[in-house]
Amino acid sequence: MFGLFKPKMAPDGPVEFRLPLEVDAPVERLYALIDWDSPNNAKRELGHHVEPLAGRPGEYLLLFNGLDDLRFEFGVTEAKPCEAYEFNCEIIPPVGLREHSIERYEFEALGPDRCRVTLLTTVKFKDGLRMKDFTAELHRMAQASADAMVKFKLHAEQGAQAVRTIEQRQFG
């Protein structure tokens, strides 16, 4: 029947999410929260392990507390203080249908204690996905990005303890 009952396949290639957010904090604070090399990096402030990868300049390892079986490796591809910060991410072992992603943060001061940060996430999923699996994965990625940005705003405005409180409620 000419493929009438053949599953619809998802398009190959990367997908982009763009999330702008206004934050009541100085742009320098937000940049430091994202910068993997900063002692004020958000993951460090939350108590997770972040370290430079030996012999690999501009690359970092993140180990989340409670996720001992996963390594998150980041390679910084652009770092313009208080303007833009971009890095690629590889999760080892891979999780879900995602092959890799690139996160780009763009910063714009709106005053001395207010700024806009825009997260542009580019995700490459595995090739050959059925459309229903692709759509479900898109939904999960979009929700995860939105949740991360809300926590980022909270962290910048109210500190790490406010994020810890939210995560304790989420994850028990």
Side-chain angles (χ1 to χ4, degrees):
M1 298 267 27
F2 308 108
L4 183 60
F5 297 105
K6 186 177 176 182
K8 185 173 182 183
M9 302 307 286
D12 291 335
V15 177
E16 292 184 350
F17 301 88
R18 180 178 288 274
L19 295 168
L21 187 66
E22 290 190 17
V23 180
D24 291 325
V27 70
E28 295 83 8
R29 170 75 174 140
L30 273 76
Y31 188 86
L33 288 172
I34 294 299
D35 182 0
W36 292 113
D37 205 35
S38 171
N40 300 111
N41 174 273
K43 301 306 181 202
R44 281 191 179 97
E45 287 190 357
L46 290 169
H48 303 294
H49 179 80
V50 177
E51 70 178 51
L53 286 167
R56 294 165 58 182
E59 295 189 26
Y60 299 84
L61 170 67
L62 167 63
L63 300 173
F64 281 101
N65 298 330
L67 293 176
D68 302 331
D69 56 338
L70 295 176
R71 292 174 54 96
F72 294 77
E73 294 187 3
F74 300 97
V76 177
T77 55
E78 183 178 4
K80 292 182 181 174
C82 300
E83 290 181 33
Y85 197 82
E86 181 179 286
F87 54 86
N88 56 46
C89 173
E90 182 179 356
I91 304 173
I92 304 166
V95 175
L97 303 174
R98 175 191 163 287
E99 283 187 357
H100 62 84
S101 64
I102 298 170
E103 292 184 26
R104 178 179 178 80
Y105 294 83
E106 297 174 347
F107 304 90
E108 177 188 357
L110 301 175
D113 294 319
R114 185 163 178 76
C115 64
R116 178 179 299 114
V117 59
T118 300
L119 169 62
L120 176 61
T121 305
T122 305
V123 181
K124 173 66 173 81
F125 296 110
K126 295 177 182 176
D127 289 334
L129 293 180
R130 294 184 322 199
M131 193 60 166
K132 72 176 190 172
D133 297 327
F134 177 75
T135 302
E137 198 69 14
L138 281 177
H139 177 74
R140 280 190 286 276
M141 283 294 303
Q143 187 62 52
S145 294
D147 289 349
M149 287 298 278
V150 168
K151 289 179 187 175
F152 182 56
K153 176 180 171 68
L154 185 65
H155 195 143
E157 293 177 350
Q158 297 180 29
Q161 186 55 48
V163 176
R164 282 189 207 98
T165 300
I166 295 293
E167 289 181 343
Q168 287 171 346
R169 289 180 187 154
Q170 278 183 308
F171 306 117

